[in-house]
Amino acid sequence: MTEMESTSGYRAVLREGVVDAAPLMLAIAPFATAMAVAAHSAGLRAVETVAMSIFVFAGAAQMAAISLYAGGAGVVAIGLTTLLINLRHIIYGLSLDRVLPKRTQPSRPVLAFLLIDEAFGFTASRIHRIQRPDAYFVGVALGIYIPFVLFTAVGAGFAAAIPDIERFGLEYIFPLAFISFIAPMLINVQRVAIALVSGGLVLLLPRFIDSGLAILLAMAGGALVGMLWEDDQ
Amino acid sequence: MNPVVLIVTLVMTAYSTRIAGFAFRGRTMPPRVERFLKNVPIAAFAALIIIGMDVESSGADVRFIAAIPAALVAWRWKKLWLTLGVGMAGYWILGALGLPG
């Protein structure tokens, strides 16, 4: 393969990722806008709110941090909470690392910045039919990063004039996207068991422990059941 | 707290967890670890679905019911757009009908 062909192949796969992520914009836009409005009422300036989205790019953690900040929480409480919310990224990284090429483009430290639920989800659910998982991953992540930052800016800039978009319940798009990823994968009893264990744990555990830690343990618990199941075969 | 401290804290907690898993750089793992990691996506998707159902807030019943046709469509046609369309339509229709939520 010539250098040129390999570049155009990379770009085509990247574009595919951007296109695949496009439907999620319907949920990203109101989420980022609402988050920026919340940041405004918590006392952050527009430039700070936008900088947060540019450099952090972690919706759930940002939302939690803003509400803690508004309530006057200290840096330790905010740091620990967001760390717990983000713990699941460790196993996403481990899981993706093994299916990515040895040399990725861009390098792993750059890919890591883009590691979010949706980019992991799209890439993991299509891993068997994409040539360049690194390109696809970047495409999906940019397809979310760009509207995320833009709509953070919209929310931060026009906080006072934003209508109540939350009543449409567009955040329901996120679980629906994960349903579309998981449904074709549930082809045997083992996989259904993994899903039931993980889903069950994430319902139960938050009653006893921090919800961020609960998410990590639920995912690890499900994957562990899958591993033990195969050990038995 | 200075907002810059807030942002730097978030950058550190987000990036440290994101880079941690990539440290192995594609090296092969013991077979059991491989089997564990292979099953992470399904476990992660199931957990994220339940989180998205937001069981503590109102409308959770409607979200669970609307997920059934969406899941069937996803399983049969494997199209993201179609799944999102059927799911949201079901969610809005059930909500408009005033089902328990």
Side-chain angles (χ1 to χ4, degrees), chain A residues 31-128:
Chain A
F31 177 84
T33 309
M35 184 188 70
V37 172
H40 174 81
S41 55
L44 289 181
R45 291 188 300 150
V47 61
E48 292 156 355
T49 306
V50 176
M52 186 190 276
S53 281
I54 290 175
F55 295 114
V56 181
F57 186 37
Q62 285 174 233
M63 200 63 154
I66 288 163
S67 75
L68 287 170
Y69 180 80
V75 66
V76 176
I78 292 178
L80 281 178
T81 304
T82 54
L83 191 66
L84 287 169
I85 291 172
N86 289 322
L87 278 179
R88 66 187 185 284
H89 294 132
I90 298 173
I91 62 174
Y92 292 169
L94 285 167
S95 171
L96 265 185
D97 187 62
R98 46 189 274 289
V99 291
L100 288 173
K102 275 217 159 52
R103 291 175 66 95
T104 57
Q105 183 189 345
S107 63
R108 277 173 165 76
V110 180
L111 291 182
F113 172 73
L114 297 170
L115 185 56
I116 54 171
D117 294 323
E118 295 80 11
F120 168 74
F122 273 99
T123 309
S125 70
R126 285 153 172 74
I127 197 71
H128 299 298

Side-chain angles (χ1 to χ4, degrees), chain A residues 90-181:
Chain A
I90 298 173
I91 62 174
Y92 292 169
L94 285 167
S95 171
L96 265 185
D97 187 62
R98 46 189 274 289
V99 291
L100 288 173
K102 275 217 159 52
R103 291 175 66 95
T104 57
Q105 183 189 345
S107 63
R108 277 173 165 76
V110 180
L111 291 182
F113 172 73
L114 297 170
L115 185 56
I116 54 171
D117 294 323
E118 295 80 11
F120 168 74
F122 273 99
T123 309
S125 70
R126 285 153 172 74
I127 197 71
H128 299 298
R129 51 188 175 88
I130 42 174
Q131 289 290 325
R132 290 292 305 260
D134 48 348
Y136 186 80
F137 177 86
V138 172
V140 172
L142 288 183
I144 291 168
Y145 183 73
I146 292 165
F148 180 69
V149 171
L150 285 179
F151 282 94
T152 302
V154 169
F158 304 96
I162 302 287
D164 178 22
I165 34 177
E166 284 177 34
R167 66 199 159 95
F168 293 111
L170 285 164
E171 69 278 1
Y172 184 50
I173 283 178
F174 293 120
L176 288 173
F178 292 110
I179 286 172
S180 95
F181 296 155

Side-chain angles (χ1 to χ4, degrees), chain B residues 27-72:
Chain B
R27 257 171 260 157
T28 40
M29 305 249 191
R32 292 194 83 195
V33 178
E34 275 288 322
R35 286 202 286 278
F36 174 84
L37 292 175
K38 197 183 67 183
N39 292 316
V40 165
I42 294 181
F45 299 161
L48 292 167
I49 290 166
I50 298 299
I51 291 162
M53 291 295 165
D54 203 357
V55 289
E56 298 295 326
S57 81
S58 70
D61 296 352
V62 171
R63 283 189 285 276
F64 272 105
I65 297 168
I68 298 168
L72 290 173

